[in-house]
Amino acid sequence: MNIKQIIYFIKIFEFRNMSRAAGALHVAQPALSQQINLLEEDLGVQLFIRSTHGVTPTEQGELLYRHGRTILRQIDNTRDLLISKEGSINGTVSIGMPSSTCKSFAIPLLRRVIERYPGIMLEIVDVPSADLTNLVEQGRVDMAITPNEPARRGLDMQPVLVEERFLITTPTLWEASDAISLDDLTTIPLILPSKPNTLRTTVDQFFLGHRMNYKLVAEASTSSILIAAVKTGIAATVLPWSAVHEEVQADILQLTPLPSVMSRELSLCKAQSLPFTRAAETIRVLCLELFAEMIDHGLWLGAKTTD
């Protein structure tokens, strides 16, 4: 097994198709297939199930993908450490964050990195919250901002802030007020994230604890779809201010406070077993600085630091 074979394998795994992977790698498909066959022979396991519709990874293939991503990230981190000049901070840093946080935090973070650390190439990965810790464990990202994530073996979790969640509606669907009763909340049509999702779990547990049902009319996989649906007036949703700040400031959407049990805690998460470069540590510190600054300046409604 060599690095080239790992790179080829990962590309096939992600495309689920030999032809598309070969095109992305600029390699002839027969040569790519031969390398994967040699890899399977060397390891003594089948990595993919081939069919006319593409390839499907086996259980062993899933395992190799997780370790292969970790290996490639370690190689990249080692290269960054060796070529960095004394006093300079260089390298690529990848950070995952939920869509709801990404909308208000990603651009300020990018702007600050570009201004202060031109040698750092920042990659922001916007994914559903349920996938974030898996990306960290697999080495796909250096760190992630995770909501309501319990302690997990092999991960360092640093709580950074707590933010309220609000009922998000249009003025025509619900008249904004300082609070909403539980009875009223059960009558409002809701569109919520698809399972598994931390917000969805919180809402389900809240109503289950009160032995009441709520009016779920649709599900969506991303906050952008939730927000678009709410704008039409067909349903309301539950999100933190960070996900809808632009629409609220433009008076397109409105907020109604919900019980405190609906709030969520955001943490910075990194893997204990993977190397953490100077560039990654710089981004971690920058995130903490930016979180505190946005809260102190009133730029993050309903949030407070965990200190």
Side-chain angles (χ1 to χ4, degrees):
M1 180 171 61
N2 56 51
I3 296 301
K4 180 173 72 175
Q5 289 174 330
I6 293 176
I7 293 173
Y8 287 178
F9 165 79
I10 287 175
K11 192 62 69 173
I12 296 169
F13 184 100
E14 293 176 343
F15 276 104
R16 299 293 203 273
N17 183 283
M18 285 282 189
S19 298
R20 292 172 59 194
L25 291 164
H26 305 291
V27 175
Q29 184 176 335
L32 184 61
S33 298
Q34 182 184 34
Q35 287 297 320
I36 296 305
N37 291 335
L38 290 173
L39 179 60
E40 289 180 323
E41 291 177 9
D42 182 34
L43 296 175
V45 298
Q46 184 179 5
L47 299 173
F48 294 110
I49 299 172
R50 282 82 164 170
S51 73
T52 55
H53 302 292
V55 298
T56 303
T58 63
E59 183 178 346
Q60 291 83 2
E62 297 276 358
L63 182 62
L64 179 59
Y65 177 76
R66 292 195 296 271
H67 284 275
R69 293 293 319 188
T70 299
I71 290 168
L72 294 185
R73 180 160 290 279
Q74 288 176 329
I75 291 172
D76 288 340
N77 287 344
T78 301
R79 182 186 297 112
D80 292 339
L81 288 170
L82 292 175
I83 66 174
S84 61
K85 299 178 182 179
E86 184 177 355
S88 65
I89 301 178
N90 303 291
T92 299
V93 179
S94 182
I95 179 170
M97 58 183 75
S99 299
S100 54
T101 302
C102 191
K103 192 170 181 183
S104 62
F105 190 71
I107 299 305
L109 180 60
L110 281 170
R111 182 179 293 115
R112 188 150 301 187
V113 172
I114 292 170
E115 291 172 351
R116 294 190 185 179
Y117 303 101
I120 295 178
M121 176 64 68
L122 183 64
E123 178 193 14
I124 293 179
V125 181
D126 175 3
V127 297
S129 58
D131 299 331
L132 288 166
T133 50
N134 290 333
L135 293 182
V136 176
E137 290 176 325
Q138 294 167 7
R140 173 65 182 84
V141 296
D142 293 288
M143 71 193 87
I145 301 170
T146 58
N148 288 349
E149 187 66 38
R152 289 175 60 168
R153 185 177 179 181
L155 296 178
D156 283 333
M157 308 292 299
Q158 181 182 9
V160 291
L161 66 83
V162 175
E163 64 175 342
E164 297 178 37
R165 288 186 175 119
F166 299 88
L167 179 69
I168 311 298
T169 63
T170 56
T172 56
L173 184 65
W174 177 259
E175 186 176 348
S177 60
D178 294 335
I180 184 172
S181 71
L182 184 57
D183 287 337
D184 285 336
L185 191 55
T186 61
T187 66
I188 297 176
L190 293 176
I191 177 170
L192 295 174
S194 311
K195 297 179 180 179
N197 178 274
T198 56
L199 187 153
R200 179 65 177 275
T201 300
T202 299
V203 174
D204 286 347
Q205 291 177 345
F206 174 78
F207 281 96
L208 183 63
H210 287 83
R211 298 182 180 180
M212 301 181 75
N213 295 319
Y214 61 90
K215 192 175 180 181
L216 181 68
V217 297
E219 299 177 330
S221 60
T222 65
S223 61
S224 60
I225 300 175
L226 296 176
I227 295 168
V230 174
K231 284 181 181 179
T232 67
I234 61 176
T237 194
V238 176
L239 285 171
W241 174 88
S242 56
V244 293
H245 67 286
E246 293 177 342
E247 291 81 3
V248 172
Q249 291 169 351
D251 292 327
I252 298 172
L253 298 177
Q254 59 187 21
L255 309 174
T256 298
L258 292 171
S260 60
V261 293
M262 292 280 198
S263 64
R264 71 176 183 177
E265 180 180 74
L266 296 184
S267 299
L268 272 173
C269 167
K270 70 181 185 68
Q272 295 173 347
S273 60
L274 299 180
F276 210 59
T277 62
R278 286 180 62 208
E281 176 60 18
T282 298
I283 297 302
R284 187 191 70 83
V285 173
L286 206 57
C287 285
L288 296 176
E289 174 188 301
L290 194 55
F291 279 133
E293 182 179 307
M294 292 179 70
I295 292 173
D296 289 344
H297 294 173
L299 302 177
W300 199 310
L301 185 65
K304 61 181 179 180
T305 58
T306 56
D307 295 338

